[in-house]
Amino acid sequence: MKRVYFTLTLMSLFGGLNAFATVTKDGVVYDKMSDGKCFVVGYDEATMPTDGIVTIVNTINIDGTDYTVTGILGGADYTDYNNNGKTGDDRAAFFNCKKIIGLRFADGSDVTLIGDHAFKSCTNLKTIENIPSKLTEIKKWCFEETGLESIDLSNTNVTIMQDGVFFNNKSLTSIQLPNKLENFWDNAFKGCTALKNIAMPSTVVGIYNSVFEDCTSLSNVTLKEGCTTLGHHVFKGCPFTSFTFPSTLNSIGEYAFENTNLKTVDLSNTQIKNLPNGSFLNCPQLSDVKLPIGFTYIGNHAFKSSPIASITFPPTLEKIDTWAFQYAHFKNVVIPTSCSAIGEGAFSENDNLTTVFINGVKCYLAVNAFANCGNLKDVYITSNDEPNAERYGYPFKNNSADLTVHVVPNYLDTFTKLVTCNAPKFDSNLSLTLGKEWTTLTSAYNLDFSNVEGGLIAYTAKYNKDNDAVALTPVKKVKAHTGLILKGEAGKTYTVPILASNEEGLDEATDNQLVDCVDAVWSTGRDNDYFLSNGKFVKSKNHGWALPGKSYLYINGGRANKSESPLRVYVDNTATAINGITTNPVVKDEAYYNLQGVKVQRPQHGVFIHNGKKVVLK
């Protein structure tokens, strides 16, 4: 009995008979696993080749039987395998091997698995040759902190870059990814400071947390359609200046692009619904951002310290959280009607900000929401609801004494007495500075153009299919949300009275075809949508947001003759013969034109345009 007990104790101590069956060939130790598979299980520096190039053979004879080598042991593989008393990462086959310089697989290798931590801390390992096409799995932290300079995995069957698989490979300059790759798990390439380019295969779906964080040489990333997920910190600290966001993308993690050199961010064709905390924090070259349809939320510090000068908030936006745009470079901001909250400091320290429109019906403005914006002069609160103290948390701290908050006259007195809305002045006027002689406008206020000093004129517009032209009709007292065309003096500032929200006697504009853009409108019907440009209506060639506060012409069914030329315009229902908007007195020539604007050399019987007026020749 004592003899049997002693034998069992030895077997237990050395992890079973496998511990006595290892075979070493050219510095590589092989053994049979408990399931009968043959793995590389370790190394022997004393018998390794002097050049440091280690070859993994295809078959090895163990106890008189030839076994096919199918894997390289990892630290967590085969928990019943003791590997001569080593535990944890030390059990991984080449863990901390400093003598290995190159790894080579024999032709036709059947290796399918390289285990976790298998080559961790092999700081002199620079090359891997003849990587098996049958390779399906490279486990986590496998090549952490190696000296690899480049690697080609393109012909393998690997579908996942597992956690930390190439973590902190500071010499890695390039990698050809597996053609069937689907996901990158956390930290896969984090700290690969020499990595310059990444071309993703079309099969990639997800790139998760910190995958390329602190890849400080990564200047080019090509991401294909099909990718849906970018995780937290995924590209933090990467220096690339441009990035193409695929239309399939539906998730971006926290601090995903923090400290990158992006110049523009175009999410307009993606499926993104929100941007979480710090997603584009401190991007020092970021000037322009485009958001998608259906977008609802901007998180804490999302664009803080990024000098954004241009952004259009979609009408679906519900909340802008704390410090989201602190230190941005906006000149104008329009908060859409559905937005219910602007967080603490959200737009603070915006030195270029001059004008803010808050269309949110019951939008809460938190403490310091627009604080320390030294050039902020006009804030328009367009809500028709009676204000109360709970909707304001002292949002205008430390701004200019010239700051005026413009509100509907119904509640001017209420606003003036509202301590929590801490603006120095309140009134009920809209200040307009025209950039050009002709421009467009839509307002959430009822407006009175009857006696505007300086002769500012407002028009509605309708397309006339018979004449393939647009008729403008002047209006005086205009209902809120009416698309308008304005004519005035370029560079001049006009003051337009805001009418009460319950004002009576407003002009009816039932045939107006100018689209209401109080909030931004996504324009996709390009055969139907015409935009005013340099005094002419032209068809835009691109999908995108029609700017809030503007308007554009929508022609149901498109133009009659499908022409690409700019649309002619009627003023006061009298046609001009000139493309673009021209008032009657401008037309001074003696020529005759037919109603299609074509010059007639010898007019006889009929209706013509002469000196800008309609005449009948009998």
Side-chain angles (χ1 to χ4, degrees):
M1 292 295 294
K2 290 183 179 180
R3 185 175 183 178
V4 173
Y5 176 79
F6 179 68
T7 302
L8 290 174
T9 301
L10 283 177
M11 290 176 65
S12 175
L13 178 64
F14 291 106
L17 294 178
N18 277 351
F20 299 98
T22 59
V23 173
T24 300
K25 181 177 177 61
D26 296 328
V28 181
V29 182
Y30 301 87
D31 200 359
K32 185 179 68 172
M33 301 292 101
S34 57
D35 58 4
K37 294 180 180 179
C38 182
F39 267 41
V40 175
V41 298
Y43 63 91
D44 177 18
E45 286 192 352
T47 59
M48 285 178 67
T50 56
D51 61 2
I53 306 299
V54 172
T55 299
I56 308 300
V57 298
N58 287 348
T59 60
I60 193 74
N61 188 283
I62 301 175
D63 294 337
T65 302
D66 288 335
Y67 289 93
T68 299
V69 180
T70 59
I72 300 176
L73 188 71
D77 297 321
Y78 295 94
T79 54
D80 59 336
Y81 187 84
N82 184 265
N83 200 19
N84 293 324
K86 295 180 180 180
T87 59
D89 295 350
D90 290 351
R91 292 172 55 239
F94 289 90
F95 173 76
N96 202 33
C97 179
K98 303 302 182 184
K99 194 171 181 180
I100 184 171
I101 294 173
L103 177 67
R104 178 185 296 139
F105 291 89
D107 291 343
S109 174
D110 288 306
V111 169
T112 62
L113 168 70
I114 303 178
D116 68 282
H117 304 85
F119 293 90
K120 178 181 177 180
S121 300
C122 294
T123 52
N124 294 313
L125 176 61
K126 295 182 179 181
T127 62
I128 302 179
E129 301 176 32
N130 211 22
I131 297 174
S133 61
K134 293 182 180 180
L135 186 65
T136 59
E137 191 171 14
I138 304 174
K139 287 199 170 182
K140 61 185 181 179
W141 312 102
C142 178
F143 294 101
E144 178 187 353
E145 294 183 336
T146 70
L148 285 171
E149 296 174 350
S150 65
I151 187 169
D152 184 356
L153 299 172
S154 58
N155 292 321
T156 69
N157 288 306
V158 173
T159 59
I160 299 171
M161 291 283 107
Q162 294 196 23
D163 292 349
V165 63
F166 289 97
F167 177 81
N168 215 25
N169 273 234
K170 295 188 180 301
S171 298
L172 187 65
T173 60
S174 65
I175 182 168
Q176 290 179 264
L177 295 169
N179 291 326
K180 298 179 181 179
L181 185 65
E182 296 176 1
N183 289 289
F184 294 79
W185 287 358
D186 296 357
N187 303 296
F189 290 87
K190 182 178 179 180
C192 293
T193 55
L195 188 62
K196 296 179 179 179
N197 301 294
I198 287 288
M200 305 288 179
S202 59
T203 50
V204 170
V205 175
I207 306 174
Y208 293 95
N209 302 335
S210 300
V211 169
F212 296 103
E213 182 177 353
D214 293 331
C215 290
T216 53
S217 297
L218 189 59
S219 58
N220 184 38
V221 178
T222 303
L223 195 59
K224 304 289 182 62
E225 291 293 317
C227 184
T228 64
T229 305
L230 298 177
H232 305 319
H233 303 268
V234 60
F235 291 109
K236 179 180 178 180
C238 295
F240 48 68
T241 59
S242 63
F243 191 92
T244 300
F245 297 88
S247 64
T248 49
L249 190 66
N250 60 39
S251 177
I252 293 178
E254 293 184 354
Y255 304 94
F257 291 88
E258 179 185 356
N259 289 329
T260 64
N261 288 328
L262 286 172
K263 295 181 178 179
T264 62
V265 169
D266 188 353
L267 301 171
S268 57
N269 292 314
T270 69
Q271 311 303 309
I272 297 293
K273 301 301 180 187
N274 62 77
L275 289 175
N277 300 345
S279 44
F280 293 92
L281 171 66
N282 195 31
C283 295
Q285 299 187 52
L286 183 57
S287 62
D288 182 58
V289 175
K290 293 181 174 64
L291 298 174
I293 299 172
F295 187 85
T296 61
Y297 173 73
I298 298 174
N300 301 339
H301 303 86
F303 293 94
K304 180 181 177 180
S305 298
S306 296
I308 304 169
S310 175
I311 193 169
T312 299
F313 295 124
T316 49
L317 181 67
E318 296 174 0
K319 184 178 182 180
I320 300 172
D321 225 322
T322 59
W323 315 106
F325 293 99
Q326 187 182 25
Y327 302 113
H329 289 185
F330 296 121
K331 290 185 178 180
N332 305 292
V333 168
V334 180
I335 306 300
T337 303
S338 61
C339 187
S340 61
I342 300 175
E344 179 179 357
F347 293 91
S348 64
E349 281 80 27
N350 271 235
D351 291 338
N352 295 341
L353 189 61
T354 62
T355 308
V356 175
F357 281 85
I358 300 170
N359 293 329
V361 176
K362 293 184 179 179
C363 187
Y364 171 65
L365 305 185
V367 61
N368 295 331
F370 294 93
N372 302 309
C373 298
N375 291 302
L376 183 58
K377 294 182 179 179
D378 296 292
V379 174
Y380 295 91
I381 298 176
T382 66
S383 173
N384 291 326
D385 282 7
E386 184 171 5
N388 58 68
E390 286 75 20
R391 282 172 52 188
Y392 303 96
Y394 303 92
F396 303 114
K397 181 180 178 181
N398 294 337
N399 283 311
S400 168
D402 293 331
L403 171 63
T404 302
V405 173
H406 309 271
V407 298
V408 292
N410 317 45
Y411 303 119
L412 180 58
D413 289 341
T414 308
F415 269 106
T416 302
K417 298 173 184 177
L418 195 63
V419 176
T420 56
C421 189
N422 58 325
K425 294 184 292 186
F426 294 86
D427 72 16
S428 295
N429 294 311
L430 175 65
S431 180
L432 293 173
T433 301
L434 269 58
K436 297 179 180 180
E437 180 184 10
W438 294 91
T439 189
T440 64
L441 174 74
T442 311
S443 175
Y445 297 118
N446 296 331
L447 295 175
D448 186 0
F449 292 92
S450 301
N451 298 296
V452 176
E453 185 176 347
L456 183 68
I457 304 174
Y459 298 91
T460 57
K462 181 181 180 181
Y463 174 67
N464 186 312
K465 185 175 291 188
D466 293 336
N467 294 328
D468 189 38
V470 179
L472 302 187
T473 301
V475 287
K476 299 295 185 181
K477 292 187 175 182
V478 180
K479 188 177 181 180
H481 295 269
T482 300
L484 297 172
I485 295 175
L486 304 182
K487 180 187 182 299
E489 183 179 335
K492 185 172 182 176
T493 298
Y494 297 89
T495 300
V496 182
I498 299 170
L499 298 173
S501 56
N502 57 354
E503 185 78 16
E504 297 181 355
L506 301 177
D507 290 354
E508 293 292 333
T510 56
D511 58 353
N512 187 28
Q513 291 176 301
L514 292 170
V515 175
D516 161 18
C517 295
V518 162
D519 295 334
V521 175
W522 183 262
S523 176
T524 57
R526 291 306 180 180
D527 285 338
N528 300 355
D529 299 347
Y530 283 77
F531 293 81
L532 190 65
S533 175
N534 296 320
K536 301 177 182 180
F537 278 110
V538 295
K539 183 170 65 174
S540 179
K541 297 180 180 179
N542 301 309
H543 300 301
W545 292 110
L547 295 178
K550 297 293 185 178
S551 65
Y552 66 92
L553 186 73
Y554 176 79
I555 303 175
N556 190 19
R559 289 176 69 174
N561 61 7
K562 305 302 179 184
S563 173
E564 294 293 327
S565 61
L567 277 166
R568 295 181 304 110
V569 177
Y570 290 86
V571 178
D572 294 328
N573 293 319
T574 302
T576 73
I578 301 173
N579 284 338
I581 302 174
T582 308
T583 53
N584 296 340
V586 176
V587 183
K588 296 295 184 183
D589 62 34
E590 296 296 321
Y592 286 81
Y593 298 84
N594 64 22
L595 294 182
Q596 284 71 45
V598 178
K599 190 173 183 178
V600 179
Q601 296 297 330
R602 288 182 288 274
Q604 296 181 9
H605 304 296
V607 180
F608 301 94
I609 305 301
H610 179 60
N611 284 334
K613 296 182 179 180
K614 188 182 298 184
V615 297
V616 179
L617 298 183
K618 298 182 179 180

